[in-house]
Amino acid sequence: MAKRSADPSNGSAPAARQVPMRDFSRSLPMSLLRAREAVMRQFRPSLRQHGLTEQQWRILRALAAIEAVEVTELARTAFLLGPSLSRILRDLEARHLIERKTAKADQRRSMVSISEKGVKLMASVAPSSEAIYAEITRRYGARKLAELQEMLGELEQSLAGLGAGDEAIAEE
Amino acid sequence: MAKRSADPSNGSAPAARQVPMRDFSRSLPMSLLRAREAVMRQFRPSLRQHGLTEQQWRILRALAAIEAVEVTELARTAFLLGPSLSRILRDLEARHLIERKTAKADQRRSMVSISEKGVKLMASVAPSSEAIYAEITRRYGARKLAELQEMLGELEQSLAGLGAGDEAIAEE
DNA sequence: CGCATTCACTTAACATGTTAAGTATCTCCC
DNA sequence: GGGAGATACTTAACATGTTAAGTGAATGCG
């Protein structure tokens, strides 16, 4: 349908087809990207209705289960880089959805926690969020979903030691 | 190690644990996000050495296999939103890695193609990129990788009809 | 023909991703 | 106890993600 015929009538066709590679659209990164987007597309409308972005929601969820965390650990939990987290925390604090106070023992650290208002917001979002997750599980199959997550985890594991490129491994 | 004990000495512990939900870190979106990041972390150093971002590389790869495409179709192929693509094309054109000319039949459309310089750049990146992909395949297992991609594709499929939230489905 | 709609982008504006640099605090060792 | 280095963030700067609005060119229809 969307197939494009060669159309040799093009007067000055530039270079192409010179670098043979795997079919791009079937690469692992693209598969992961598309799959994740297909999933997140389901959640975004509901979050948006409540004035939350995906990342803000991640932060609130990470905070909901604990009393307080340091920013660094929160970054690890919510899988955000420090600078992103720093900005988002500033905004969430301005909206009074979280609270921050510097640790007594170490003035460098600041402990972050969810506020009452944040808890209430979460409570208003959670039902719809759970419903969407349930629908995804229903469509894809609970067993298959668990298997997929298992395989994703193993993929992570198998790449764990491969480093960020310039860090020479120290233990051998 | 990183386990945090309750520490009841906290004078004014704010709200927490109020909204029971699935363990956040095991959610499907997070699994997909972490897996993709684990994969892309392998590729980024090599791309960066050649002055390319992940998205610029996606665009060049999408262009390498064809003579020319419209921007809209390129957006679909490279899985980028129009505005992102528009900016990146502007930059790639300024670097003479791609070429653009407006279609004869329809002045609105512009046909994008990779340039000679772009082809050469791709040729210099491709070997390392293929090597990395091969190493990932080796570590994870070729069969398992194919299976994973199959499952990711099925996940996409099973969510295909679920729409962007506000579009009423017409066929039932 | 004329004009409202649609279409194919591009711009704009704001949030986040990403790397590098800055700042304040803490630790350790002399 | 004092200064070098490490730590825990925060800022800065630039690229991309994301939605909405803008622009110019086709299309359709009265």
Side-chain angles (χ1 to χ4, degrees):
Chain A
M1 275 42 160
K3 203 103 217 286
R4 176 178 330 287
S5 54
D7 190 9
S9 68
N10 192 331
S12 61
R17 226 175 301 264
Q18 319 286 44
V19 184
M21 284 193 74
R22 281 166 288 114
D23 179 2
F24 155 66
S25 67
R26 290 195 187 91
S27 73
L28 179 57
M30 284 303 289
S31 294
L32 291 165
L33 183 57
R34 280 196 304 251
R36 186 175 139 83
E37 179 54 29
V39 172
M40 285 316 299
R41 185 164 31 239
Q42 312 305 319
F43 289 100
R44 269 193 272 267
S46 162
L47 292 178
R48 189 174 166 72
Q49 279 191 322
H50 294 277
L52 288 174
T53 66
E54 179 192 331
Q55 293 82 355
Q56 292 167 349
W57 178 239
R58 286 221 296 274
I59 292 172
L60 291 184
R61 284 196 62 182
L63 289 177
I66 56 183
E67 293 299 325
V69 249
E70 306 164 19
V71 172
T72 299
E73 190 185 336
L74 182 54
R76 199 153 35 77
T77 308
F79 209 70
L80 292 168
L81 293 180
S84 291
L85 182 55
S86 209
R87 278 178 308 214
I88 301 175
L89 287 181
R90 169 164 48 71
D91 299 347
L92 290 179
E93 188 173 24
R95 289 164 66 185
H96 303 293
L97 294 175
I98 63 161
E99 290 162 10
R100 227 181 330 191
K101 53 182 175 182
T102 60
K104 306 172 193 60
D106 187 340
Q107 298 295 110
R108 294 171 304 179
R109 292 172 157 79
S110 87
M111 305 302 288
V112 183
S113 54
I114 193 168
S115 70
E116 278 300 334
K117 188 177 171 190
V119 170
K120 283 176 187 159
L121 178 55
M122 280 205 72
S124 77
V125 179
S128 139
S129 185
E130 292 287 2
I132 293 167
Y133 204 91
E135 174 64 10
I136 292 173
T137 305
R138 192 185 69 71
R139 290 200 171 216
Y140 189 63
R143 173 154 331 197
K144 205 165 166 185
L145 184 54
E147 195 186 337
L148 173 58
Q149 303 217 47
E150 173 68 17
M151 292 180 73
L152 291 171
E154 289 170 7
L155 175 58
E156 270 187 81
Q157 283 306 312
S158 66
L159 302 184
L162 258 174
D166 50 358
E167 55 174 72
I169 295 89
E171 45 184 318
E172 83 174 294
Chain B
M1 270 49 153
K3 204 98 215 288
R4 172 183 335 288
S5 53
D7 189 8
S9 67
N10 191 330
S12 60
R17 226 175 301 266
Q18 319 284 44
V19 185
M21 284 191 76
R22 280 165 288 116
D23 180 1
F24 156 64
S25 68
R26 290 194 187 94
S27 74
L28 179 57
M30 284 303 288
S31 294
L32 290 165
L33 183 57
R34 280 197 302 250
R36 185 176 140 81
E37 178 54 29
V39 172
M40 286 315 301
R41 183 164 31 238
Q42 312 305 319
F43 289 100
R44 269 193 273 266
S46 163
L47 292 179
R48 188 174 167 72
Q49 278 190 322
H50 294 277
L52 289 174
T53 66
E54 178 192 331
Q55 294 82 356
Q56 293 167 350
W57 178 240
R58 287 221 296 274
I59 291 172
L60 292 184
R61 285 196 61 182
L63 289 177
I66 56 183
E67 294 298 325
V69 250
E70 306 164 18
V71 173
T72 300
E73 190 184 335
L74 181 55
R76 202 153 33 77
T77 308
F79 210 70
L80 293 168
L81 293 180
S84 291
L85 182 54
S86 208
R87 276 179 309 213
I88 301 176
L89 288 181
R90 167 164 49 71
D91 298 347
L92 290 180
E93 189 174 24
R95 289 164 66 184
H96 303 293
L97 295 175
I98 64 161
E99 291 161 8
R100 228 183 326 192
K101 53 182 174 182
T102 59
K104 306 171 194 61
D106 187 339
Q107 297 296 110
R108 292 170 306 180
R109 290 172 159 79
S110 88
M111 303 303 288
V112 184
S113 53
I114 192 169
S115 71
E116 278 302 335
K117 187 176 172 192
V119 170
K120 283 175 187 159
L121 178 55
M122 279 205 72
S124 78
V125 180
S128 140
S129 185
E130 291 287 2
I132 293 167
Y133 204 91
E135 173 65 9
I136 291 174
T137 304
R138 191 186 69 72
R139 290 201 169 212
Y140 190 60
R143 174 155 329 200
K144 204 164 167 184
L145 183 54
E147 193 186 339
L148 174 57
Q149 302 218 47
E150 172 69 17
M151 291 179 74
L152 290 171
E154 289 170 8
L155 176 58
E156 271 187 79
Q157 283 306 313
S158 66
L159 302 184
L162 258 174
D166 49 358
E167 56 174 73
I169 296 91
E171 45 184 319
E172 93 173 286

